Amino acid sequence: MHMVQQILADFYHCTGITTRLLNAKGAVLEAVGEEALAFEGSLIKDISKLKGGTSLTYGEGTHYVALPLAEQGIIVAGPYQSGCLIKKNNPTYRPVRCNIYFLDLLELIIKQNEADAAPQNTNISKALEFVQKRYADPIALHDVCGYLNLNICYFCTLFKSHVGMTFNNYVNKVRIEKAQELLRQTQLTVIDVAMSVGFNNQGYFTSTFKKFTQMTPTAYRQSFAKDSENKNKDSNRSPLADAV
């Protein structure tokens, strides 16, 4: 199970409180419990400003626990009630004195899951480093699995659960990011850029580049050149001309 899903499941099974992973805009990425439960109106705005874990209370005893999780999103547990009047759309009741314990419990569960995943994270870190060093060379699954001494099926499952994409997609992502740098910083032809980052077919390079950036390599270079030109014009613009 993906580590984030395990964290959500562990907290939910300990507390019975719906637990979700949200992005900064409030979209639900993962959830365990009653996904249909509505959020308090200002919750999304409040959690977007979080720098650390906190408990949030709204109205007459409606509570949430919120905790940013590295770059993966924000874990939000709730809503749950501590007031006498329990809303029909939120039957979960927990005494208000539980608030001080829930955040500690969530932090403990995260630490335990991170510790359990530590050996796996080491293999993932080595795989990412392997790609960063060898992206310009042909890379096959058996190459990285041989380097890590791992079964291919096991590695594929492990990699996707930690990185959120397949190994081959990650390799292409790194190659396209390197290609973007070359298109911005050099005058290499598109085919030379493709060869420099590990593609031996311009057509495949172009289609892959468009998949990740929504534009062709040539259009990307032209767009960057145009943006740079406009910035130079703005920086050279006379303040006196703006004042006229």
Side-chain angles (χ1 to χ4, degrees):
M1 181 181 288
H2 192 292
M3 187 177 73
V4 173
Q5 293 175 324
Q6 187 64 61
I7 291 169
L8 302 185
D10 287 351
F11 188 83
Y12 174 74
H13 291 140
C14 287
T15 64
I17 298 170
T18 295
T19 310
R20 291 168 272 203
L21 178 72
L22 278 62
N23 62 21
K25 295 182 179 180
V28 177
L29 306 177
E30 304 277 358
V32 178
E34 299 181 53
E35 294 184 51
L37 290 179
F39 289 126
E40 197 71 27
S42 59
L43 175 72
I44 304 305
K45 181 179 178 181
D46 292 340
I47 66 171
S48 66
K49 303 174 184 177
L50 285 184
K51 300 299 181 183
T54 188
S55 296
L56 300 166
T57 300
Y58 300 90
E60 299 180 4
T62 299
H63 307 284
Y64 297 85
V65 173
L67 181 67
L69 185 61
E71 298 179 355
Q72 299 183 69
I74 304 165
I75 294 180
V76 176
Y80 60 96
Q81 296 270 221
S82 65
C84 295
L85 297 176
I86 299 177
K87 298 178 181 178
K88 292 182 179 179
N89 65 342
N90 179 27
T92 305
Y93 170 84
R94 295 292 179 271
V96 68
R97 61 181 176 272
C98 293
N99 289 358
I100 62 174
Y101 303 113
F102 284 151
L103 185 59
D104 289 341
L105 175 62
L106 182 56
E107 291 176 337
L108 178 61
I109 288 172
I110 290 172
K111 288 180 181 178
Q112 289 177 335
N113 276 276
E114 288 177 340
D116 291 343
Q120 298 178 351
N121 286 337
T122 298
N123 284 324
I124 296 301
S125 296
K126 288 181 178 179
L128 299 182
E129 183 180 0
F130 181 89
V131 174
Q132 290 290 338
K133 288 182 177 179
R134 298 184 52 179
Y135 67 87
D137 302 322
I139 298 177
L141 266 173
H142 63 78
D143 294 325
V144 68
C145 290
Y147 171 68
L148 297 173
N149 194 28
L150 294 177
N151 173 272
I152 288 180
C153 291
Y154 171 75
F155 171 75
C156 289
T157 302
L158 179 67
F159 191 91
K160 188 169 184 179
S161 70
H162 281 270
V163 182
M165 64 179 72
T166 66
F167 177 73
N168 287 335
N169 275 346
Y170 178 76
V171 172
N172 282 338
K173 177 177 176 290
V174 170
R175 286 172 169 167
I176 295 305
E177 288 172 351
K178 300 297 182 182
Q180 287 176 285
E181 292 180 14
L182 292 175
L183 289 166
R184 293 194 305 266
Q185 300 171 6
T186 75
Q187 296 301 314
L188 290 173
T189 64
V190 171
I191 184 59
D192 286 337
V193 169
M195 299 291 288
S196 297
V197 299
F199 290 91
N200 56 15
N201 180 292
Q202 184 173 342
Y204 180 58
F205 168 66
T206 298
S207 63
T208 305
F209 191 97
K210 192 171 182 179
K211 174 183 175 182
F212 282 93
T213 68
Q214 286 71 58
M215 62 178 71
T216 66
T218 299
Y220 177 84
R221 172 175 271 169
Q222 290 172 345
S223 176
F224 177 77
K226 186 176 181 179
D227 288 343
S228 298
E229 182 180 348
N230 289 337
K231 288 179 181 179
N232 289 334
K233 286 181 180 179
D234 289 341
S235 63
N236 293 329
R237 185 180 179 89
S238 169
L240 183 60
D242 290 331
V244 174

